[in-house]
């Protein structure tokens, strides 16, 4: 529903056309005990309260380049888990030390109290050594209690 700088459609269009259908579908699944993971790329901050109201359990992917992650965590804390946040651009280009730093910082920023799945903000093929650096950093910094 988002682009890099704003919503893809007007809030009115989203509210009138999409939200009633999301509400209907999500209600059906929630009544059956299914967790709702909602995927929307881009800048989706204006919709966070709507997503929470819809009963979305996990929001994916959290695009660091398009959202204010501090605000996103503050708004969703205890109400919706976040998934993503690791810059895909950084995973493509590196360097390895910056990947490890990003993983550590995001885990502390978004997951210090739980409710965070540390993952790339987009899926694409990464250089193998960059993927290994991500996995090593996740294994090192992604265990509670958080270190560093």
């Amino acid at each position: 529903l988002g682009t890099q700088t704003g919503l893809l459609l007007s809030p009115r269009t989203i509210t009138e056309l999409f939200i009633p259908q999301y509400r209907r579908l999500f209600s059906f699944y929630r009544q059956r005990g299914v967790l709702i993971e909602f995927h929307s790329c881009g800048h989706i901050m204006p919709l966070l309260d709507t997503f929470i109201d819809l009963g979305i359990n996990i929001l994916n992917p959290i695009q660091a380049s398009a959202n204010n992650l501090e605000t996103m965590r503050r708004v969703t804390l205890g109400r919706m888990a976040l998934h993503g946040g690791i810059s895909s651009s950084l995973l493509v280009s590196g360097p390895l030390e910056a990947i490890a730093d990003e993983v550590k910082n995001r885990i502390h920023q978004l997951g210090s109290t739980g409710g965070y799945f540390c993952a790339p903000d987009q899926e694409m093929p990464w250089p193998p050594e960059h993927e290994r650096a991500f996995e090593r950093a996740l294994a090192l910094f992604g265990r509670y209690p958080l270190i560093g």
Side-chain angles (χ1 to χ4, degrees), residues 16-88:
E16 290 179 5
L17 298 179
F18 289 76
I19 300 306
Q21 296 307 316
Y22 289 151
R23 191 172 308 284
R24 182 181 61 79
L25 288 169
F26 298 167
S27 175
F28 174 84
Y29 288 111
R30 276 197 326 278
Q31 289 172 6
R32 287 153 179 81
V34 175
L35 293 176
I36 307 296
E37 181 172 2
F38 187 81
H39 176 93
S40 182
C41 297
H43 180 79
I44 44 130
M45 303 239 345
L47 298 173
L48 289 177
D49 287 328
T50 300
F51 291 159
I52 291 166
D53 180 59
L54 287 170
I56 291 171
N57 303 101
I58 305 165
L59 185 58
N60 158 30
I62 306 307
Q63 259 185 278
S65 61
N67 296 284
N68 180 317
L69 299 183
E70 290 288 334
T71 301
M72 187 170 270
R73 176 72 296 176
R74 186 174 31 76
V75 170
T76 62
L77 186 60
R79 302 177 346 157
M80 181 169 39
L82 302 176
H83 179 260
I86 302 298
S87 167
S88 55

Side-chain angles (χ1 to χ4, degrees), residues 5-6 8 10 13 22 24 34 40 53-54 59 66 74 82 85-86 100 102-104 112 121 124 126:
T5 58
L8 184 61
S10 74
T13 299
Y22 289 151
R24 182 181 61 79
V34 175
S40 182
D53 180 59
L54 287 170
L59 185 58
R74 186 174 31 76
L82 302 176
I86 302 298
E102 172 112 343
V103 169
K104 179 181 178 181
S112 63
D121 61 12
M124 58 184 66
W126 322 112

